[in-house]
């Protein structure tokens, strides 16, 4: 397992209370040996004016998954992780339902991490692929 700890899904979802994550309806659904997974509804909170899932909502889901997954791989008493760069390619539109994001590491280094986040629709079709680069910093 790449994570230093295996937190409960209840704990992960509790940390999102009163945040953008909760506001958008993002729910953590699985923690595996090398991945973190969450869902997000496609509804009035996450759609753009043309009725499609907003690209920015995809990016929020991706950065939420990658950042939290990164934090689970380090000792938070000694280190902190912060986002350096996020990108997203929106490949397929989604009008309704739920999307599912899965974050997996590409690189887990001492000072940087790179995460790939795949966002799938309810038919498991890839609708967005994102990459998140995290800086791992010493706490002062």
């Amino acid at each position: 397992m790449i994570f230093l700890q295996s937190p409960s899904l209840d704990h992960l979802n509790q940390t999102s209370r009163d945040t953008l994550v909760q506001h958008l309806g993002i729910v953590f659904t699985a923690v595996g040996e090398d991945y973190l997974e969450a869902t997000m509804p496609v509804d009035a909170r996450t759609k753009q004016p043309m009725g499609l899932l907003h690209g920015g909502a995809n990016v929020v889901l991706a950065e939420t998954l990658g950042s939290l997954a990164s934090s689970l791989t380090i000792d938070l008493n000694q280190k902190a992780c912060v986002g350096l760069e996020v990108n997203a390619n929106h490949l397929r539109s989604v009008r309704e339902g739920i999307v599912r994001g899965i974050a997996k590491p590409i690189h887990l280094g001492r000072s940087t991490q790179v995460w790939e986040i795949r966002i799938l629709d309810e038919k498991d079709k890839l609708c967005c692929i994102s990459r998140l680069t995290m800086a791992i910093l010493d706490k002062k």
Side-chain angles (χ1 to χ4, degrees):
M1 175 175 272
I2 62 169
F3 303 123
L4 295 181
Q5 63 221 324
S6 182
S8 72
L9 292 174
D10 285 340
H11 174 73
L12 294 178
N13 287 307
Q14 287 294 325
T15 64
S16 300
R17 289 182 82 170
D18 299 322
T19 68
L20 176 64
V21 176
Q22 181 185 35
H23 178 73
L24 293 183
I26 295 170
V27 176
F28 296 98
T29 55
V31 179
E33 293 288 317
D34 68 344
Y35 70 91
L36 181 61
E37 182 178 297
T39 59
M40 181 177 67
V42 180
D43 63 18
R45 296 169 291 180
T46 59
K47 287 183 181 181
Q48 41 96 313
M50 293 179 59
L52 304 173
L53 177 59
H54 196 294
N58 277 336
V59 174
V60 171
L61 177 58
E63 188 154 4
T64 297
L65 278 164
S67 294
L68 187 53
S70 178
S71 75
L72 296 173
T73 68
I74 63 174
D75 180 352
L76 291 173
N77 294 315
Q78 297 179 20
K79 303 279 185 179
C81 55
V82 296
L84 283 178
E85 190 267 345
V86 62
N87 71 40
N89 295 102
H90 308 292
L91 306 172
R92 176 184 300 274
S93 62
V94 181
R95 291 188 175 275
E96 61 186 11
I98 293 175
V99 292
R100 177 171 53 101
I102 305 163
K104 289 188 169 195
I106 295 171
H107 167 73
L108 295 175
R110 217 173 1 145
S111 60
T112 61
Q113 294 185 356
V114 179
W115 291 81
E116 177 185 83
I117 302 93
R118 299 170 66 81
I119 300 175
L120 309 161
D121 66 14
E122 290 181 309
K123 295 178 182 174
D124 282 335
K125 300 269 189 183
L126 185 63
C127 55
C128 178
I129 188 151
S130 180
R131 188 182 65 237
L132 174 67
T133 303
M134 302 292 294
I136 309 303
L137 308 172
D138 290 324
K139 282 193 173 177
K140 295 181 180 187

